[in-house]
Amino acid sequence: MDLKKLLKATARIIFIVGLAAAGYLVDRDRHDRALIMLQPFGYGWACLSFVIIVIGQKVVGRNATLARRSSGIDRPDQHAYEVVGAKENIEPDLPQGVSPELVEQQGAAVRMASDGALGEFNRAQRAVFNWHESLPVTLMELLLVAFSCGPVSVVMALVIVVGRSTFARGYTKGLAGRLPGFIVAVSGEWACHLLLVILAIRSFTLGNNLPA
């Protein structure tokens, strides 16, 4: 890293840290009173869970950025495509699931590139977008879990982030590499689903009687 880039990175870090610190210190007493009020409801655990998810997002995003560099695909393009199955040479290049009859009718088929650096870039991007599809629900679930179960939300977040990070790296390398991380991540997400069902049932049956 040259001096110019180092100075830019340092300035950016100083700005981020300063802005965050100022956001808290500008009215510290008021913010502390709010934190004391929210503390019994697992606010700190919710914040920590969200921080873990954000770190996982950065890891998965960084994986996609590195794959983008190797592929030579510049922004704003989010995927690389290829045309296969031209009429004069239909059979050899057909993507899986596309019939020769369909290609003959259409003339050609368009699919995402799956080989080489372009394929790695496409799979890395899909790992990012696949997580985004379930992320809003996950964040809300972690918030609800933190309110009632405190540190359990952090454990759930760690499981999901480890799974999603492993899924992204494995998927980038090839289709077969996606399964181990995906299974871990989805298991964590489904554990959140089930825990919320348990908490909902318990909240209806508990009434106003606190356990001894």
Side-chain angles (χ1 to χ4, degrees), residues 1 9 13 19 24 57 60 64 75 89 107-108 120 155 159 167 176 202-203 211:
M1 180 180 294
I13 292 173
L19 185 61
Y24 169 67
Q57 283 276 292
V60 173
R75 295 172 179 83
N89 188 22
E120 290 185 354
V155 176
V159 172
F167 166 66
R202 183 59 175 160
S203 69

Side-chain angles (χ1 to χ4, degrees), residues 92-197:
D93 297 320
L94 272 182
Q96 185 175 2
V98 177
S99 66
E101 292 78 12
L102 177 62
V103 175
E104 287 178 357
Q105 294 173 6
Q106 302 297 327
V110 178
R111 66 175 182 183
M112 284 197 292
S114 58
D115 300 324
L118 294 181
E120 290 185 354
F121 170 64
N122 282 333
R123 291 190 294 273
Q125 289 289 84
R126 277 303 308 150
V128 174
F129 299 149
N130 183 271
W131 193 4
H132 285 175
E133 291 164 6
S134 61
L135 186 59
V137 173
T138 297
L139 292 175
M140 182 56 68
E141 287 181 332
L142 290 175
L143 182 63
L144 295 173
V145 170
F147 282 163
S148 55
C149 300
V152 174
S153 65
V154 175
V155 176
M156 296 292 188
L158 284 171
V159 172
I160 293 171
V161 165
V162 168
R164 286 294 177 179
S165 300
T166 304
F167 166 66
R169 291 194 297 269
Y171 196 9
T172 301
K173 295 178 181 177
L175 291 178
R178 77 190 190 280
L179 285 179
F182 186 75
I183 291 173
V184 172
V186 172
S187 297
E189 292 167 0
W190 273 95
C192 279
H193 303 339
L194 180 58
L195 178 56
L196 285 182
V197 172

